[in-house]
Amino acid sequence: MMKINGAVMLLFRQVCALAVPSKVCYNGHIMKNYIIFDLEWNQSPEGKENSVESIPFEIIEVGAVKLDGNFHLISEFHRLITPKVYPQLHYKISEVTHMDMEELRQEGEPFVDVIRDFLEWCGRDFWFCTWGSMDLTELQRNMEYYQADIPFERPLYYYDVQKLYALARGNVREKMSLDKAVEELALEQDRPFHRALDDAFYTGKVLGRMDPALWEPYISVDYYRVPEKKEEEIYLRFPTYSKFVSRTFPTKEEAMEDKTVADIICPQCKRMLRKKVRWFSLNQRQYFSLGVCPQHGPVRGKIRMKKGENGEFYVVKTMKIVDEEGVRSLFEKREEQRYKRHVRNDIKKVRGTIGRPV
């Protein structure tokens, strides 16, 4: 078992029974299988400007392993897909995967057939697991392009093993590559990297080396199909923070004016908090705020503004109890925002004087 930050481990064990999606059964007794899958995809060899907007990445390989609740291998799935959108391999894809178009033409099958067989192989009562958050998004985008039925429930929960590994190491911001994680864990490297089945195999090995009692509460939610109505908005509570995913709004301004979006709630006691620092932004993509819970102390609110598939905006808001350093960092961000605003105003004033008679 890998070594995990002691304070993080203690906190996880104390609160691992907190509320998360109700269908999850914790305490090491999950009866569902784990479908750990990986995709390889191609893209326009002529650059982004020549990509098909609705399918910038075309899946050319699907690899997956099925593990039982004790992380024992049940079976494997591996298929190649004949590309239709981009009939020429991007040189970087060829370099990394060592695939060539001749292999894909000879051994590949139509996307719809492969995905049909893949979903049938997955069975029922399973959790998707991926290394990173892109595979599920691109899978659904390809399914939509080929008009294949997307049977996944909404919201679609899954496990991002890359995030879980970073969490276990005590540094959530550091997203390590799969090969580096395998090397750090001293796992046997008897298969190559950067092919779908092999990467799925290694991802399953990494997952199996972490204590389920520590990572099971940290479910991820897929953002390909976000809430469309207020009743569908997503609330998740984790051991160390809480998350809210809003419905879509026509503009960022309308999103930030919504009361539910703007509220700061303590992730521990669910108390509505008065804002010590109102929402502010440095780049119109991330917003910060600070509330103070009389019982649990400072709570930092962070909003990531995202654009959905329909072109509208939605909010992913996290609320986390922070220490003095966290409070100091937020105040420093606010001062930076004020400085930038003053600079912009000064520039506008100078521009306004250009051309005026002296």
Side-chain angles (χ1 to χ4, degrees):
M1 194 69 63
M2 68 177 296
K3 187 176 181 180
I4 300 175
N5 181 282
V8 174
M9 179 179 290
L10 177 60
L11 178 60
F12 282 13
R13 292 195 185 281
Q14 288 174 338
V15 295
C16 67
L18 288 175
V20 288
S22 59
K23 63 182 180 179
V24 185
C25 175
Y26 293 121
N27 300 320
H29 299 295
I30 294 181
M31 300 307 293
K32 294 186 177 184
N33 293 326
Y34 297 96
I35 302 295
I36 296 97
F37 78 94
D38 185 81
L39 306 173
E40 299 297 339
W41 53 64
N42 189 27
Q43 61 194 82
S44 171
E46 299 172 355
K48 185 177 180 181
E49 62 276 5
N50 292 300
S51 293
V52 177
E53 184 177 0
S54 59
I55 183 170
F57 303 108
E58 181 182 17
I59 297 172
I60 55 177
E61 185 178 33
V62 179
V65 295
K66 183 186 296 185
L67 308 181
D68 65 19
N70 294 313
F71 307 101
H72 297 143
L73 179 66
I74 299 175
S75 62
E76 297 181 348
F77 181 94
H78 177 247
R79 301 278 276 279
L80 296 177
I81 295 171
T82 306
K84 298 295 184 183
V85 182
Y86 305 115
Q88 180 181 345
L89 271 182
H90 192 287
Y91 75 95
K92 286 187 178 180
I93 304 299
S94 183
E95 284 180 1
V96 171
T97 65
H98 302 292
M99 281 190 278
D100 57 50
M101 191 55 69
E102 187 63 29
E103 178 186 7
L104 293 174
R105 290 195 186 101
Q106 289 185 359
E107 301 181 26
E109 301 173 60
F111 173 85
V112 174
D113 293 348
V114 172
I115 294 307
R116 180 199 61 221
D117 293 347
F118 172 62
L119 295 177
E120 183 177 331
W121 172 83
C122 288
R124 302 179 62 183
D125 297 326
F126 62 85
W127 290 109
F128 274 135
C129 305
T130 62
W131 189 266
S133 60
M134 289 188 65
D135 286 284
L136 266 177
T137 295
E138 297 309 323
L139 174 62
Q140 292 172 92
R141 185 174 282 132
N142 276 246
M143 292 174 75
E144 192 163 288
Y145 178 84
Y146 283 104
Q147 299 180 337
D149 179 49
I150 302 178
F152 310 138
E153 58 187 22
R154 300 177 63 178
L156 175 55
Y157 297 111
Y158 71 103
Y159 283 110
D160 179 348
V161 183
Q162 184 184 49
K163 182 181 77 172
L164 298 177
Y165 186 71
L167 194 68
R169 296 177 74 249
N171 188 354
V172 181
R173 294 183 179 180
E174 183 183 2
K175 297 298 178 66
M176 187 176 290
S177 64
L178 177 59
D179 54 339
K180 291 291 186 182
V182 168
E183 182 179 347
E184 187 172 85
L185 290 172
L187 296 174
E188 184 178 358
Q189 299 183 36
D190 54 353
R191 305 169 74 140
F193 286 94
H194 308 303
R195 288 297 298 261
L197 179 57
D198 299 316
D199 283 0
F201 173 82
Y202 283 123
T203 301
K205 288 293 186 182
V206 173
L207 184 67
R209 287 289 295 271
M210 296 187 289
D211 186 350
L214 305 184
W215 58 257
E216 281 171 359
Y218 288 90
I219 200 80
S220 291
V221 59
D222 175 69
Y223 299 137
Y224 182 73
R225 295 190 293 180
V226 295
E228 298 176 354
K229 300 179 291 185
K230 189 172 184 62
E231 301 77 41
E232 297 175 350
E233 292 179 329
I234 302 167
Y235 301 82
L236 296 172
R237 188 176 173 215
F238 300 99
T240 55
Y241 66 97
S242 62
K243 176 181 286 190
F244 165 75
V245 182
S246 77
R247 65 191 187 279
T248 57
F249 298 86
T251 66
K252 297 178 183 179
E253 291 74 21
E254 289 181 66
M256 293 304 298
E257 289 170 0
D258 182 80
K259 183 182 182 305
T260 308
V261 168
D263 284 342
I264 297 291
I265 299 172
C266 176
Q268 292 295 325
C269 64
K270 301 183 182 180
R271 186 196 303 260
M272 185 80 68
L273 306 181
R274 185 183 299 275
K275 297 182 184 67
K276 181 79 171 178
V277 176
R278 296 180 180 275
W279 289 104
F280 68 91
S281 175
L282 296 176
N283 53 21
Q284 300 302 307
R285 293 190 299 272
Q286 291 186 339
Y287 298 74
F288 300 91
S289 182
L290 184 71
V292 178
C293 175
Q295 182 179 355
H296 298 101
V299 176
R300 185 202 68 185
K302 179 180 179 180
I303 279 176
R304 288 177 291 157
M305 191 70 66
K306 294 177 173 286
K307 184 175 284 190
E309 295 294 317
N310 62 0
E312 293 196 331
F313 297 93
Y314 67 98
V315 159
V316 178
K317 177 175 66 175
T318 56
M319 290 161 285
K320 181 179 181 180
I321 296 171
V322 293
D323 56 15
E324 290 184 9
E325 179 60 32
V327 173
R328 186 182 304 111
S329 174
L330 187 140
F331 274 96
E332 289 174 354
K333 284 184 172 67
R334 187 177 67 167
E335 290 305 310
E336 181 183 349
Q337 184 258 355
R338 287 176 172 175
Y339 173 76
K340 288 183 177 180
R341 187 175 65 233
H342 287 317
V343 170
R344 287 195 299 267
N345 290 339
D346 289 343
I347 292 174
K348 287 181 181 178
K349 290 177 182 178
V350 171
R351 286 176 175 171
T353 62
I354 296 176
R356 290 182 184 177
V358 179

